[in-house]
């Protein structure tokens, strides 16, 4: 998490605390040391650690499902970081390795607590995590039953979660959802690179090479570097297709997405 986002969390937590002073990391750790002392104490995972501390404070002040969801995601990111850091053993400073292990164990304990606290949740994000991380089929069924509700249809994160589920069973449904994610993209924002990668993969599998090439080029224009465009480019070149026209279409499509003006071609 970037520091500008942490600053916004400071403002939010200040409002939650009911006081005028901005809540800082040091103040949280001073007033509620339990939110900080069981995490790693060295400089590794600094941003992830700060995010966890702010989110712990927010959940403490307002234990809503939304705040629990944010804390769960922050702990998962922190755990990924600190688990790797824990494997780096300090020869002279064993306590650093020990504190990283402690941070890892704290993450596991706290994530388990949140899962237990939210076992009956109706929060779509938590439902997805209960299914994808804990293999809770009842949570998945709940999420699927609410997929047509407006608060789910208008949430790009949840739409992407649904796409990961449907990608295993229904390509066309997955495409519809991924287009919806792009429709929800706000001006100035960049969609998750996985959206473009999934579209390219599905279209290539369906032998819709012009579609695959177009979104591979859109991905490149977005700054994504994880898509290999050469296979689909070779397919089109071998059949004499005009790549220039597709490049123009890709540029137009990316402009619409980045301006928050993309509309699914499925609707026409």
């Amino acid at each position: 998490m970037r520091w500008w986002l942490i600053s916004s969390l400071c403002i939010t937590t200040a409002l939650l605390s009911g006081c005028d002073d901005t809540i800082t990391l040091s103040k949280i750790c001073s007033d509620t040391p339990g939110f900080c002392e069981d995490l790693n104490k060295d400089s590794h995972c600094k941003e992830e650690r700060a995010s966890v501390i702010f989110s712990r404070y927010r959940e403490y002040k307002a234990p809503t499902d939304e705040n629990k969801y944010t804390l769960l995601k922050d702990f998962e990111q922190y755990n990924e970081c600190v688990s790797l850091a824990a494997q780096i053993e300090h020869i002279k400073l064993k306590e650093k390795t020990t504190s990283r292990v402690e941070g890892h164990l704290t993450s596991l304990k706290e994530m388990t607590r949140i899962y237990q606290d939210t076992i009956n949740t109706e929060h779509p994000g938590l439902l997805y995590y209960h299914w994808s991380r804990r293999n809770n089929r009842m949570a998945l069924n709940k999420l699927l039953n609410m997929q047509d509700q407006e608060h789910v249809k208008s949430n790009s994160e949840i739409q992407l979660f649904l796409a990961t589920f449907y990608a295993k069973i229904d390509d066309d449904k997955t495409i519809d959802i991924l287009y919806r994610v792009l429709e929800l993209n706000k001006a100035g924002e960049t969609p998750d690179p996985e959206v473009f990668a999934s579209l390219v993969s599905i279209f290539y599998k369906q032998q819709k090479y012009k579609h695959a090439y177009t979104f591979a080029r859109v991905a490149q224009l977005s700054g994504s570097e994880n898509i290999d465009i050469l296979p689909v480019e070779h397919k089109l070149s071998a059949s004499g297709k005009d790549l220039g026209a597709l490049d123009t279409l890709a540029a137009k499509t990316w402009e619409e997405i980045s301006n928050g003006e993309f509309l699914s071609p499925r609707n026409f």
Side-chain angles (χ1 to χ4, degrees):
M1 179 177 290
R2 301 293 177 238
W3 288 110
W4 63 266
L5 186 51
I6 291 175
S7 297
S8 70
L9 285 175
C10 293
I11 296 171
T12 303
T13 50
L15 293 173
L16 286 171
S17 68
C19 61
D20 294 329
D21 296 330
T22 298
I23 298 298
T24 63
L25 195 66
S26 60
K27 182 168 177 57
I28 292 175
C29 291
S30 174
D31 292 350
T32 50
F35 292 159
C36 310
E37 290 181 348
D38 56 357
L39 304 175
N40 68 299
K41 298 172 178 61
D42 61 351
S43 61
H44 271 80
C45 311
K46 190 174 182 180
E47 293 183 5
E48 291 84 356
R49 181 178 182 273
S51 296
V52 163
I53 292 169
F54 279 115
S55 292
R56 284 179 121 176
Y57 183 82
R58 292 171 70 196
E59 191 220 9
Y60 167 70
K61 285 294 185 179
T64 63
D65 274 5
E66 181 63 29
N67 284 342
K68 290 180 185 295
Y69 177 53
T70 299
L71 179 57
L72 178 61
K73 291 191 293 182
D74 285 344
F75 258 123
E76 187 171 90
Q77 291 178 357
Y78 170 73
N79 186 52
E80 289 177 3
C81 179
V82 82
S83 296
L84 288 174
Q87 298 172 21
I88 305 172
E89 184 172 348
H90 281 260
I91 297 175
K92 295 182 179 179
L93 300 173
K94 296 286 186 180
E95 66 273 11
K96 287 193 174 183
T97 302
T98 301
S99 81
R100 294 171 191 173
V101 172
E102 182 180 12
H104 166 61
L105 294 176
T106 295
S107 299
L108 297 180
K109 180 184 71 175
E110 281 292 275
M111 287 190 289
T112 297
R113 174 187 67 81
I114 295 170
Y115 283 123
Q116 291 173 343
D117 286 352
T118 59
I119 191 67
N120 296 314
T121 186
E122 299 292 328
H123 187 287
L126 285 169
L127 289 173
Y128 174 78
Y129 268 65
H130 273 280
W131 168 63
S132 62
R133 273 60 167 177
R134 312 282 281 193
N135 198 30
N136 186 328
R137 294 291 302 185
M138 289 184 62
L140 173 62
N141 290 336
K142 273 188 181 181
L143 178 59
L144 295 178
N145 286 335
M146 64 173 62
Q147 63 184 304
D148 292 327
Q149 295 178 15
E150 190 57 37
H151 73 287
V152 174
K153 292 172 64 177
S154 61
N155 187 316
S156 60
E157 180 184 44
I158 305 303
Q159 290 297 299
L160 193 52
F161 288 162
L162 288 169
T164 63
F165 167 73
Y166 280 108
K168 301 174 183 177
I169 59 174
D170 190 334
D171 284 347
D172 287 333
K173 176 78 170 179
T174 304
I175 292 170
D176 287 337
I177 295 174
L178 293 172
Y179 279 157
R180 178 62 180 159
V181 173
L182 295 180
E183 286 184 325
L184 292 170
N185 193 69
K186 294 181 174 61
E189 295 184 354
T190 300
D192 190 313
E194 188 60 32
V195 176
F196 301 128
S198 297
L199 285 170
V200 172
S201 176
I202 294 172
F203 285 136
Y204 190 87
K205 182 173 66 173
Q206 294 180 338
Q207 298 184 10
K208 295 180 178 178
Y209 300 126
K210 290 190 291 185
H211 294 67
Y213 177 84
T214 299
F215 278 100
R217 289 288 292 124
V218 170
Q220 289 182 335
L221 292 170
S222 75
S224 177
E225 299 178 352
N226 65 340
I227 294 178
D228 183 6
I229 199 172
L230 288 178
V232 67
E233 190 174 293
H234 289 158
K235 289 281 188 182
L236 291 170
S237 297
S239 59
K241 300 298 182 183
D242 180 10
L243 298 185
L246 295 178
D247 288 337
T248 300
L249 176 60
K252 180 177 181 294
T253 301
W254 170 240
E255 182 180 6
E256 291 171 349
I257 293 170
S258 59
N259 289 337
E261 299 171 348
F262 178 83
L263 294 175
S264 170
R266 303 278 213 178
N267 296 330
F268 297 97

